[in-house]
Amino acid sequence: ASNGGDTVLSEGSLHSGGGGGGGHHHYYYDTHTNTYYLRTFGHNTMDAVPRIDHYRHTAAELGEKLIRPSLAELHDELDKVRDCRHLHSSDGYANGEEGTPPGEADATYAADSKGIVKFGWIKGVLVRCMLNIWGVMLFIRLSWIVGQAGIALSVLVIAMATVVTTITGLSTSAIATNGFVRGGGAYYLISRSLGPEFGGAIGLIFAFANAVAVAMYVVGFAETVVELLQENGALMLDQTNDIRIIGAITVLVLLGISVAGMEWEAKAQIVLLVILLFAIGDFIIGTFIPLDSKKVKGFFGYKAEIFTENFGPDFRADETFFSVFAIFFPAATGILAGANISGDLADPQSAIPKGTLLAILITTLVYIGIAVSVGACVVRDATGNLNSTIITELTNCTTAACKLKFDFSSCQKTECHYGLLNSFQVMSMVSGFAPLISAGIFSATLSSALASLVSAPKIFQALCKDNIYPGLLMFAKGYGKNNEPLRGYILTFLIALGFILIAELNVIAPIISNFFLASYALINFSVFHASLAKSPGWRPAFKYYNMWVSLIGAILCCIVMFVINWWAALLTYVIVLGLYIYVTYKKPDVNWGSSTQALTYLSALQHTVRLAGVEDHVKNFRPQCLVMTGAPNSRPALVHLVHAFTKNVGLMICVHFLKGPRRQAMKELSTDLARYQRWLIKNKMKAFYAPVHAEDLRDGGQYLMQAAGLVQNAELRTVVFTKYTTVFLKTFTNSLFLNLLDSKGPRTPLNLADQRLLDSSSQFQKKQGKNTIDVWWLFDDGGLTLLIPYLLTTKKKWKDCKIRVFIGGKINRIDHDRRAMATLLSKFRIDFSDIMVLGDINTKPKKENIAAFEEMVEPFRLHEDDKEQDIADKMKEDEPWRITDNELELYKTKSYRQIRLNELLKEHSSTANVIVMSLPVARKGAVSSALYMAWLEALSKDLPPILLVRGNHQSVLTFYS
């Protein structure tokens, strides 16, 4: 195939078999660059899912790539099986992200929306919100509230509830107009603003609240029907069981309407709204027709006397202003009915603000109008007895009823059944046609139940699609052109039916109201939080909001929760907090650009700037480690050990040097940055990954140390290398050459060498048990050699390990040196189990060990004494790393010291979990690199993992508080 110019791509296939490690490899050969591009497909443990990483190799490297696994690849083999299963289980919602590029959103939406029912702002939001806000409260309890609180305080109660809902409506509008809104309602708005932790917590309880609300509204409907049956002597069994039977039948019918599709549900809502409006009109007309037969029941039409008497409060039966407010407020909790079906709106950004705010305005005016009307027409107490008519003037009667020729004073002594305070059927009595009020009650309860029955599955489906709770993923599936959550409908139906059959809703009702209020509080807080974070991405099209008003709204919601029911409020907080902690612990793999993320950045930036002006102090020393890991998954033992003493204490940066052509390296750098940072997060490593392109290792190290100098620490702030502490780790995985398999044969399943390599690479992930950390403190370099072991023992996996300290000394001063070191460690407040003073540290090592050292360095020697002078000089210039005869003789004592230390280490520390030891140093230019590396090899040969530490003589430990 032509690839521009005269470049030709040929292709072919290779196969490397063998168990879980095998796979099908497809390669392309680029004749222009003499390069093979290799792609690996379908490991047989992965259901033939392609691997997503591409390899670039020369012809010489290609065959070796197929048969020789690196340590990183061995780990990847295990990880990719898990990732593949996750990909299949997530139903296409990889990483919790929504997957539609911004530029394609409109096209995708247009293509997908063919044949799908989408609602405008009137039918989709306004109608639903009005029906949900106008509940049973309007017809049954509002007149009682006026009787208790009076007209003035009743209007205040309505106004206070409206303030809370209006602020929440403004906040909802701001969030809804800050980008494209998908399905999920309150859950979607909160999760995309505050992140999955708050969103996942509130989404679950909000969906549950809507499901139980279905039962509440259906029971309200069933109770009204049963009252009518009882009045006509037509009960089927008894009152409680009749409510259960009628409730079960009703919720089944509502389920049928919902499952039939959103279009049918919307038509049903319109019919119910028309009935409700007729019922309200019926009441208003009735207020102007005061029949004489109704006067004995307390209805006299609009009278100034009644308005004046009912203007103030008359709280009875231990009721207070706040108890009355608590009873009324649930009537105002339907403002999210439209937002809850945001996925079914044609233009949610426009529909939610207009429909929600207009619904709040209309319903508030109707509530206030009816409260004033009923308060001006009906007295608080009435007997319903014709004998209460006054024929002669009563001198001691000053009530409004007395002035209107009726004496209801007997209600103060005996129980009356009429009037604002005694009857919940006042609106039916006042209305022109009472059956229409009953129809209005039916309409209000059924419409609210229907709205909740639709909202709960939609919210739950959105929550499950995001895979916040993996066990609920089955409910994410949708059916039909509208992606209807049929499984969610069935679950909501079962929850509602269960609570209907229990018939104990008086206890659960306050909890449901508090769940709704918790959602409102978080919506308001979302706007405040997003505004506070000052993220450039926060720019709502809806401008009529204020961050401080939203904060006040959130606080008011929390206060109202306690006003309604204090124990329900506490229970709500506990549930939300528990779910928040669970989601935080699980760390769902999503990135929605939340305001929490934005505020975290802003806070980190501000604190970093603040720290830049503060000088370091030894008491605040924290290890900040620049770790030469390469790809982090290629040296997991090194990563895990350093992470063990930097986690929650210091900084860890995993360094990776990339060489080669700059353009290719830049592509790899960008890919690797995302890949390996994700690997660190996945493995719960609190660290950073820092790749850098450089011509060689030395340049790369200098670049990174200069970049790390931006970090606020004396050891990393400067580019003068003597300021840095140097640490080496030697383990089995770092020293073992990966010559694992026969180069002529295919890749095989994990053999003994592979398994040993994997086990060794994970040795610091395990609990270390009751063993020792041996500290060989041979030089005072600032105390880092002691601090690192102490930090290790503060971690859970290392807490059972004891610190043993080894120091050099003289044979005749061993006890004195031990006591001095014990005193010093006590002042440093470092616990230890034993101190050993080594008096024979300078003894000459064994002959066989000296011979082994000489054999090891032999291939790296120059042997200038056996060569002509000019040949020796030329070799020394070309290969400066070689060991000269003069150098070997000059540093014989130091070489013997490393060999002797290795003998002592084997004698005393062969069973330690890890050895921390002072690193020998050599003067630059005086000691060749080969000889120095030979010292390190001789020192660390055949030992447990050894950490060689050389501080910079700046103290990291202090005596003082």
Side-chain angles (χ1 to χ4, degrees):
S2 175
N3 189 26
D6 58 354
T7 300
V8 176
L9 292 175
S10 61
E11 59 180 298
S13 298
L14 295 169
H15 183 77
S16 61
H24 179 70
H25 305 271
H26 202 81
Y27 70 86
Y28 298 87
Y29 177 60
D30 187 337
T31 59
H32 184 67
T33 60
N34 191 32
T35 301
Y36 285 89
Y37 291 86
L38 174 66
R39 189 176 186 181
T40 304
F41 290 84
H43 295 268
N44 45 11
T45 58
M46 296 174 60
D47 300 325
V49 176
R51 283 170 54 178
I52 60 173
D53 43 348
H54 298 256
Y55 300 101
R56 185 175 186 269
H57 303 284
T58 63
E61 296 170 331
L62 182 61
E64 185 176 359
K65 179 71 185 178
L66 297 178
I67 60 173
R68 182 165 296 179
S70 69
L71 178 60
E73 288 177 317
L74 289 173
H75 279 280
D76 283 346
E77 294 295 336
L78 301 177
D79 290 341
K80 286 178 180 177
V81 174
R82 303 188 195 103
D83 293 342
C84 175
R85 289 172 183 161
H86 171 73
L87 183 65
H88 280 296
S89 66
S90 63
D91 213 14
Y93 293 89
N95 299 328
E97 298 179 16
E98 294 157 273
T100 304
E104 301 173 13
D106 294 337
T108 303
Y109 177 78
D112 292 346
S113 62
K114 292 180 180 178
I116 296 177
V117 177
K118 295 288 183 179
F119 303 115
W121 71 275
I122 295 177
K123 188 186 290 188
V125 182
L126 179 65
V127 170
R128 293 174 187 278
C129 288
M130 288 170 60
L131 283 169
N132 245 29
I133 296 171
W134 281 334
V136 180
M137 187 71 64
L138 179 66
F139 296 102
I140 295 180
R141 298 312 276 292
L142 186 58
S143 58
W144 178 86
I145 289 171
V146 174
Q148 290 281 353
I151 296 172
L153 292 184
S154 295
V155 172
L156 181 60
V157 164
I158 297 168
M160 287 174 60
T162 301
V163 166
V164 175
T165 56
T166 301
I167 293 174
T168 306
L170 294 173
S171 298
T172 303
S173 302
I175 299 174
T177 58
N178 190 53
F180 186 74
V181 178
R182 296 177 183 266
Y187 160 71
Y188 185 89
L189 299 178
I190 294 171
S191 63
R192 268 48 175 187
S193 296
L194 290 178
E197 295 84 6
F198 278 114
I202 214 67
L204 197 61
I205 68 168
F206 194 64
F208 177 75
N210 275 279
V212 179
V214 175
M216 291 177 60
Y217 295 130
V218 168
V219 167
F221 166 78
E223 285 178 348
T224 307
V225 173
V226 168
E227 284 180 9
L228 293 175
L229 292 176
Q230 194 170 16
E231 289 176 6
N232 294 279
L235 287 177
M236 293 175 283
L237 297 173
D238 56 65
Q239 192 170 1
T240 301
N241 284 314
D242 280 14
I243 290 174
R244 289 171 175 164
I245 294 170
I246 295 170
I249 295 171
T250 303
V251 77
L252 187 62
V253 172
L254 293 177
L255 176 66
I257 295 173
S258 301
V259 171
M262 289 297 295
E263 193 171 6
W264 283 96
E265 187 267 348
K267 290 177 181 177
Q269 293 282 27
I270 293 294
V271 172
L272 294 173
L273 178 63
V274 170
I275 296 172
L276 195 60
L277 291 174
F278 271 112
I280 293 172
D282 178 36
F283 166 78
I284 294 172
I285 292 171
T287 60
F288 293 98
I289 311 173
L291 301 176
D292 290 340
S293 60
K294 296 180 180 179
K295 290 182 179 179
V296 294
K297 297 180 180 180
F299 172 48
F300 295 91
Y302 292 101
K303 301 293 181 182
E305 296 91 340
I306 298 176
F307 180 85
T308 303
E309 183 176 85
N310 288 343
F311 190 79
D314 184 13
F315 294 113
R316 301 182 191 175
D318 298 326
E319 297 293 347
T320 64
F321 174 80
F322 289 107
S323 68
V324 170
F325 175 79
I327 291 170
F328 173 80
F329 189 84
T333 57
I335 62 170
L336 294 182
N340 286 341
I341 62 160
S342 54
D344 296 292
L345 301 175
D347 184 8
Q349 288 181 284
S350 172
I352 291 174
K354 285 194 294 187
T356 303
L357 294 175
L358 186 57
I360 292 172
L361 176 63
I362 293 173
T363 53
T364 299
L365 292 176
V366 170
Y367 269 122
I368 291 175
I370 291 179
V372 173
S373 295
V374 77
C377 295
V378 184
V379 295
R380 285 189 165 100
D381 297 296
T383 60
N385 191 341
L386 289 174
N387 295 329
S388 298
T389 305
I390 300 175
I391 299 175
T392 60
E393 291 289 335
L394 296 177
T395 56
N396 60 346
C397 186
T398 58
T399 63
C402 287
K403 296 175 183 177
L404 296 171
K405 306 299 183 180
F406 281 84
D407 180 14
F408 298 140
S409 58
S410 60
C411 291
Q412 298 175 5
K413 300 175 183 178
T414 60
E415 183 180 358
C416 292
H417 298 285
Y418 297 96
L420 296 176
L421 287 171
N422 306 311
S423 173
F424 291 145
Q425 304 299 324
V426 169
M427 288 190 68
S428 295
M429 183 263 293
V430 172
S431 66
F433 183 61
L436 198 52
I437 298 296
S438 297
I441 295 172
F442 295 161
S443 173
T445 52
L446 293 178
S447 62
S448 297
L450 193 56
S452 297
L453 185 57
V454 169
S455 296
K458 297 282 186 182
I459 297 166
F460 197 54
Q461 183 185 37
L463 175 67
C464 296
K465 275 185 177 180
D466 288 336
N467 204 21
I468 303 296
Y469 303 100
L472 303 176
L473 191 62
M474 62 176 291
F475 292 101
K477 186 174 178 59
Y479 296 86
K481 61 184 180 181
N482 270 20
N483 196 34
E484 294 290 348
L486 296 186
R487 295 176 181 177
Y489 281 129
I490 299 299
L491 180 63
T492 303
F493 166 75
L494 293 175
I495 292 172
L497 183 62
F499 279 99
I500 288 169
L501 296 178
I502 292 171
E504 289 290 339
L505 296 179
N506 289 336
V507 176
I508 202 72
I511 300 175
I512 302 308
S513 296
N514 274 276
F515 282 1
F516 283 121
L517 277 165
S519 305
Y520 296 171
L522 283 178
I523 288 174
N524 285 310
F525 184 73
S526 297
V527 172
F528 168 76
H529 201 265
S531 302
L532 185 67
K534 300 175 183 176
S535 172
W538 173 250
R539 45 184 194 278
F542 183 84
K543 302 298 182 183
Y544 305 102
Y545 75 94
N546 179 275
M547 61 181 289
W548 300 110
V549 172
S550 295
L551 179 61
I552 292 171
I555 294 171
L556 286 175
C557 288
C558 294
I559 292 172
V560 171
M561 289 172 70
F562 279 97
V563 169
I564 290 176
N565 191 297
W566 67 267
W567 64 261
L570 288 177
L571 181 61
T572 303
Y573 288 143
V574 169
I575 293 173
V576 172
L577 181 62
L579 292 172
Y580 178 89
I581 293 172
Y582 170 80
V583 178
T584 302
Y585 175 76
K586 286 295 184 180
K587 290 186 176 62
D589 190 12
V590 296
N591 184 7
W592 295 323
S594 67
S595 61
T596 303
Q597 182 180 346
L599 196 61
T600 300
Y601 170 82
L602 185 63
S603 177
L605 184 63
Q606 291 172 342
H607 284 89
T608 303
V609 171
R610 190 178 305 165
L611 280 173
V614 178
E615 293 218 2
D616 294 323
H617 193 282
V618 63
K619 287 195 298 184
N620 295 326
F621 172 82
R622 293 173 180 271
Q624 305 197 50
C625 302
L626 204 63
V627 191
M628 310 294 186
T629 61
N633 63 349
S634 66
R635 293 176 179 85
L638 175 61
V639 174
H640 285 110
L641 180 62
V642 177
H643 184 256
F645 64 81
T646 58
K647 180 184 178 182
N648 298 327
V649 175
L651 174 67
M652 175 179 172
I653 303 176
C654 296
V655 175
H656 190 182
F657 301 118
L658 299 174
K659 297 188 291 185
R662 182 176 179 81
R663 177 172 294 184
Q664 180 64 27
M666 288 299 103
K667 291 180 181 178
E668 292 180 13
L669 188 147
S670 177
T671 304
D672 288 352
L673 184 60
R675 176 186 177 188
Y676 291 122
Q677 189 63 52
R678 184 174 292 276
W679 184 90
L680 290 170
I681 294 171
K682 181 179 178 181
N683 288 272
K684 299 180 179 179
M685 296 286 137
K686 295 185 178 180
F688 297 97
Y689 170 73
V692 66
H693 173 253
E695 294 300 324
D696 55 42
L697 186 66
R698 180 179 294 275
D699 287 344
Q702 292 177 351
Y703 297 158
L704 278 162
M705 283 188 281
Q706 291 179 55
L710 298 174
V711 179
Q712 183 68 18
N713 184 274
E715 298 200 5
L716 296 178
R717 184 188 298 167
T718 174
V719 299
V720 179
F721 295 149
T722 56
K723 289 284 186 181
Y724 290 82
T725 291
T726 306
V727 182
F728 290 100
L729 170 68
K730 181 177 180 182
T731 66
F732 171 80
T733 55
N734 287 356
S735 59
L736 180 68
F737 292 99
L738 303 183
N739 189 14
L740 302 177
L741 304 170
D742 183 0
S743 60
K744 296 181 181 179
R747 179 181 280 186
T748 62
L750 287 183
N751 57 26
L752 184 61
D754 288 355
Q755 191 61 52
R756 187 183 174 202
L757 184 63
L758 280 173
D759 291 344
S760 181
S761 71
S762 61
Q763 60 187 312
F764 297 128
Q765 289 179 270
K766 307 169 186 173
K767 191 170 179 63
Q768 298 300 305
K770 295 182 179 180
N771 213 319
T772 64
I773 301 173
D774 286 359
V775 181
W776 289 63
W777 196 21
L778 305 180
F779 308 98
D780 182 8
D781 53 4
L784 192 63
T785 309
L786 279 173
L787 182 62
I788 288 176
Y790 165 75
L791 292 175
L792 283 174
T793 59
T794 63
K795 306 304 179 184
K796 186 176 180 181
K797 291 176 182 175
W798 294 82
K799 68 177 182 179
D800 294 331
C801 291
K802 303 296 183 182
I803 294 177
R804 295 194 302 176
V805 179
F806 296 81
I807 59 173
K810 296 181 180 179
I811 295 178
N812 59 349
R813 288 173 53 90
I814 288 179
D815 289 338
H816 176 272
D817 290 346
R818 181 183 291 114
R819 287 194 299 271
M821 177 55 64
T823 302
L824 183 65
L825 293 177
S826 297
K827 288 182 178 179
F828 283 141
R829 304 170 305 282
I830 292 179
D831 292 332
F832 59 91
S833 64
D834 194 11
I835 296 174
M836 296 189 68
V837 181
L838 304 172
D840 55 349
I841 199 169
N842 292 316
T843 304
K844 187 177 179 179
K846 297 176 182 178
K847 290 182 179 180
E848 59 267 28
N849 291 332
I850 295 175
F853 177 80
E854 291 174 348
E855 183 182 352
M856 178 178 65
V857 301
E858 180 63 30
F860 305 100
R861 291 183 61 182
L862 184 63
H863 289 293
E864 72 274 18
D865 292 342
D866 300 334
K867 296 181 174 64
E868 296 291 337
Q869 184 66 36
D870 56 342
I871 296 175
D873 291 344
K874 184 70 168 65
M875 285 186 64
K876 192 172 183 179
E877 182 181 350
D878 294 341
E879 299 174 333
W881 48 267
R882 286 194 177 273
I883 306 170
T884 65
D885 295 340
N886 181 56
E887 177 189 13
L888 194 61
E889 182 63 30
L890 182 63
Y891 292 105
K892 180 186 291 185
T893 302
K894 199 157 189 177
S895 298
Y896 285 179
R897 181 181 176 86
Q898 312 313 318
I899 301 169
R900 176 57 182 159
L901 283 173
N902 180 260
E903 292 174 352
L904 293 171
L905 284 163
K906 289 178 180 177
E907 179 183 348
H908 297 286
S909 297
S910 59
T911 60
N913 279 27
V914 68
I915 301 168
V916 183
M917 188 175 192
S918 299
L919 173 72
V921 294
R923 187 177 293 109
K924 183 180 179 182
V927 178
S928 64
S929 57
L931 181 58
Y932 183 68
M933 295 305 294
W935 288 349
L936 298 185
E937 177 63 22
L939 178 66
S940 59
K941 185 179 180 182
D942 299 329
L943 289 172
I946 182 168
L947 201 63
L948 300 172
V949 181
R950 189 72 178 195
N952 57 10
H953 298 284
Q954 290 187 357
S955 295
V956 299
L957 298 172
T958 179
F959 298 154
Y960 306 106
S961 61

